[in-house]
Amino acid sequence: MGKQFTKEPPVTQSGRDKKLSTAHGSITMWAMAILIITSILSMRGLPSEAKYGVQSIFFYLFAAVVFLLPFALVCAELASTYTKSGGLYRWVAEAFGPRLGWLAMFLEWQTIVIWFPTVLMFAAASLAYMFWPESFDHALASNKIYTLAIALLVYWLSTWNALRGQRSANLLSTYGGLVGTIIPGAVLIVLGIVYFLVGKPVHLDHLPFFPDFSDVGTIVLAASIFLFYAGMEIQAVHVNDMRNPARDFPKAVFVAIVVIVLVYSLGTLMIGVVIPSKDIDLLQSLLVAYKTLWASFGVGWLGNVMALFIMFGVIGQVSALVTGPSTGLMAVAQSGYLPRSLQRVNRNNANVPILIVQGCFVSLLLLLLIVLPTVESAYQIMSQMATIIYLAMVIIIYCAFMRLRRTQPGKKRGYRVPGGKAGEWIVCGLGIAGALLALVLSYIPPTQIDTGSPAVYVGIIVVGVGAIIALPLVVYHFRKPSWRNPDAHFYPFDWQIEGRRPGEVSKWAPGYEPTEDEVEEAETRAISNHASGR
């Protein structure tokens, strides 16, 4: 998961929702492609796929075809059709009502909360690899107490920085992305290619291109690739700003997919070239690869410098993501889904209660380091849980897309998934099947790493995922009218304006736009229904 989870447009605002401020036609095909590429690419997860050697290319291509491409197209249509604020909350609530809209929004937030421990563990490993010699680095990065202490320190310092305001967090994130992702990624690929061309020892296993699907445990790690490609539900909001979305957006997606798959594949192969598959560690091998590559040219100390770069990048990434998802959650919560005590902001407009609750979630998840056999196994279980939660949200969005195609056939769509009804079924069928496959695989312990007792491993995932899905539904059930912020104005859903249920077919003629009076009437009716608990 790269920098893709950024702050969404506010869900609530004073006055009427307005169209996106960016001028129509201001984003070219190439600009959109670059936007997608820079928001998704991340080097942190490459070691997990390096265990597959050449087969990793197959998994990157497979996930791109069954996940990244169809999900990008679906999100583009939803974002260009439902242009009022709210993002995925609006998409799902338009189709199924606020309960599932709130669930989808909560799952996106929790995906990042669960993902935080994985990147924090990687931060601890990066810090360890700034020192000499490598044997000391390895021992320190494998130590649970050290990893737990550094992870908690980095997270709570980032939270403290976020409480000072979004400006300081964004500044750290901007430089962190350049220094910690773009530069290290380019160095890894260039160094690896030079290493190979000059005839240095190559450790890449000679595996067939197609994996052995009969041994399910060996392909579990590949499911995490779906999380590598996460974030299109946010980036798709820019589709309306393209000159010709129907023509240019698919081209931008294809260009982005080619570049992303190429960079991920080359980066993964470079790790496999210098480190034997049996010695690859999910947390440390990227850092070991840098040290090995630089040492082969007589400048091994530069490996420690790269660890410093990566550590800085991780801190910048965490700093930016601490506030983004919680801001989107709070905006939705102002419609009446969380108590007013959790909606307070400080003078820097940072939501202190939600950031504290989020930090408690992250801290509790990090304590899994104590009960699991190794730091690597804790890293893996967090990655799998984040993947499951994210894919559950993805499936909800696919279902919302199909339902809205039927309940609002006449709705004006800025971009439409090509191929008519057949295209809809192919795209959604492929996307849902791929998401379900990765979701099921994520419950299975991988054979390549020691995760301890399979029963404990699976039990933690089942209980954790079940609790995360149940929590927002319980909160929604017990919500109170007093939770709604009277100063928050949310543009009504189409079904509220029409006075129908979400699942009923729209009565509007194609291209119909509601009048200001209809919108005001729907807002008044929605507030009244909320006050009465309906």
Side-chain angles (χ1 to χ4, degrees):
M1 183 183 297
K3 300 176 294 180
Q4 64 270 32
F5 286 99
T6 53
K7 183 179 176 182
E8 290 197 38
V11 176
T12 55
Q13 57 228 351
S14 59
R16 295 277 170 251
D17 268 31
K18 295 178 174 62
K19 297 289 183 180
L20 293 173
S21 58
T22 309
H24 179 75
S26 63
I27 297 182
T28 64
M29 185 275 288
W30 288 104
M32 175 62 80
I34 292 171
L35 178 66
I36 296 171
I37 292 166
T38 55
S39 65
I40 289 180
L41 277 178
S42 175
M43 308 300 290
R44 180 186 56 83
L46 299 186
S48 63
E49 308 314 315
K51 285 182 173 288
Y52 294 111
V54 175
Q55 285 182 0
S56 64
I57 301 176
F58 168 83
F59 288 120
Y60 282 125
L61 289 170
F62 178 79
V65 171
V66 304
F67 175 68
L68 182 55
L69 176 60
F71 194 52
L73 298 178
V74 164
C75 287
E77 176 169 325
L78 290 171
S80 67
T81 305
Y82 302 95
T83 57
K84 305 300 182 183
S85 60
L88 66 92
Y89 168 72
R90 180 172 292 278
W91 306 345
V92 177
E94 281 283 10
F96 300 112
R99 186 196 304 269
L100 283 184
W102 163 243
L103 173 63
M105 191 74 183
F106 189 90
L107 292 182
E108 184 187 45
W109 177 55
Q110 281 297 298
T111 296
I112 304 168
V113 169
I114 299 170
W115 169 85
F116 269 127
T118 67
V119 75
L120 292 167
M121 292 178 205
F122 183 65
S126 301
L127 177 62
Y129 272 79
M130 294 180 196
F131 308 109
W132 290 267
E134 190 174 317
S135 58
F136 173 78
D137 300 343
H138 175 75
L140 187 61
S142 302
N143 185 280
K144 293 181 181 180
I145 303 302
Y146 159 80
T147 301
L148 179 61
I150 296 299
L152 289 172
L153 180 64
V154 170
Y155 183 81
W156 284 106
L157 282 177
S158 297
T159 300
W160 171 79
N161 186 49
L163 293 174
R164 298 169 58 211
Q166 190 65 32
R167 183 178 179 182
S168 58
N170 287 344
L171 185 65
L172 189 57
S173 173
T174 300
Y175 287 108
L178 173 64
V179 174
T181 300
I182 297 174
I183 293 176
V187 168
L188 177 65
I189 294 173
V190 172
L191 268 183
I193 292 174
V194 173
Y195 178 96
F196 178 79
L197 292 177
V198 298
K200 299 287 186 179
V202 174
H203 299 283
L204 198 64
D205 290 341
H206 297 288
L207 297 174
F209 180 75
F210 294 99
D212 179 10
F213 291 102
S214 63
D215 190 357
V216 177
T218 63
I219 61 176
V220 172
L221 293 178
S224 60
I225 292 177
F226 283 69
L227 200 60
F228 291 6
Y229 291 152
M232 279 307 307
E233 71 280 2
I234 294 175
Q235 299 309 323
V237 299
H238 300 293
V239 70
N240 272 341
D241 302 320
M242 301 186 75
R243 295 190 181 110
N244 189 336
R247 181 194 66 195
D248 291 341
F249 185 77
K251 290 181 181 179
V253 170
F254 278 113
V255 170
I257 287 174
V258 170
V259 174
I260 290 169
V261 170
L262 189 63
V263 173
Y264 274 148
S265 298
L266 287 175
T268 300
L269 291 178
M270 294 309 104
I271 295 175
V273 163
V274 297
I275 305 175
S277 177
K278 62 182 179 61
D279 297 329
I280 290 176
D281 180 279
L282 303 189
L283 278 166
Q284 302 179 35
S285 288
L286 177 62
L287 303 158
V288 173
Y290 282 116
K291 279 201 167 187
T292 304
L293 287 167
W294 284 119
S296 68
F297 297 106
V299 283
W301 60 272
L302 283 175
N304 300 82
V305 175
M306 295 308 303
L308 174 63
F309 280 21
I310 292 171
M311 175 66 177
F312 182 69
V314 170
I315 291 175
Q317 190 176 25
V318 172
S319 179
L321 295 179
V322 160
T323 56
S326 60
T327 301
L329 180 75
M330 189 195 70
V332 173
Q334 288 180 328
S335 295
Y337 301 133
L338 286 179
R340 293 291 301 279
S341 60
L342 292 178
Q343 299 178 26
R344 295 196 309 269
V345 296
N346 64 12
R347 62 181 181 180
N348 298 316
N349 204 35
N351 181 263
V352 179
I354 287 185
L355 286 178
I356 297 300
V357 170
Q358 178 175 283
C360 292
F361 269 118
V362 173
S363 300
L364 287 173
L365 289 169
L366 281 168
L367 292 178
L368 284 175
L369 281 165
I370 297 174
V371 301
L372 290 169
T374 63
V375 174
E376 186 182 29
S377 62
Y379 176 90
Q380 174 60 20
I381 201 168
M382 291 295 103
S383 296
Q384 296 307 102
M385 284 181 64
T387 301
I388 291 169
I389 294 298
Y390 183 74
L391 291 176
M393 182 204 73
V394 166
I395 292 172
I396 292 174
I397 290 177
Y398 275 122
C399 293
F401 170 81
M402 292 189 292
R403 186 167 194 174
L404 289 170
R405 274 284 188 99
R406 282 148 187 76
T407 58
Q408 298 192 38
K411 181 79 172 177
K412 182 180 178 181
R413 287 162 166 82
Y415 168 80
R416 195 177 186 93
V417 172
K421 191 168 290 293
E424 174 193 348
W425 282 103
I426 292 172
V427 167
C428 291
L430 195 63
I432 292 174
L436 285 174
L437 175 62
L439 192 151
V440 171
L441 285 176
S442 296
Y443 281 98
I444 303 172
T447 58
Q448 296 98 326
I449 63 174
D450 176 21
T451 56
S453 167
V456 172
Y457 179 91
V458 176
I460 290 174
I461 293 180
V462 170
V463 172
V465 171
I468 288 168
I469 292 176
L471 181 58
L473 298 177
V474 171
V475 171
Y476 183 89
H477 178 76
F478 289 102
R479 73 194 189 285
K480 298 178 180 179
S482 60
W483 291 3
R484 188 181 185 280
N485 187 336
D487 297 324
H489 298 278
F490 184 78
Y491 191 91
F493 300 111
D494 289 350
W495 51 267
Q496 289 176 323
I497 299 173
E498 291 186 73
R500 59 179 175 85
R501 294 182 180 276
E504 295 176 344
V505 178
S506 171
K507 301 184 289 289
W508 286 352
Y512 175 80
E513 290 292 337
T515 65
E516 192 75 13
D517 290 340
E518 288 174 316
V519 172
E520 288 184 357
E521 182 183 342
E523 283 183 339
T524 302
R525 189 165 56 245
I527 293 172
S528 175
N529 289 340
H530 182 84
S532 62
R534 285 183 286 174

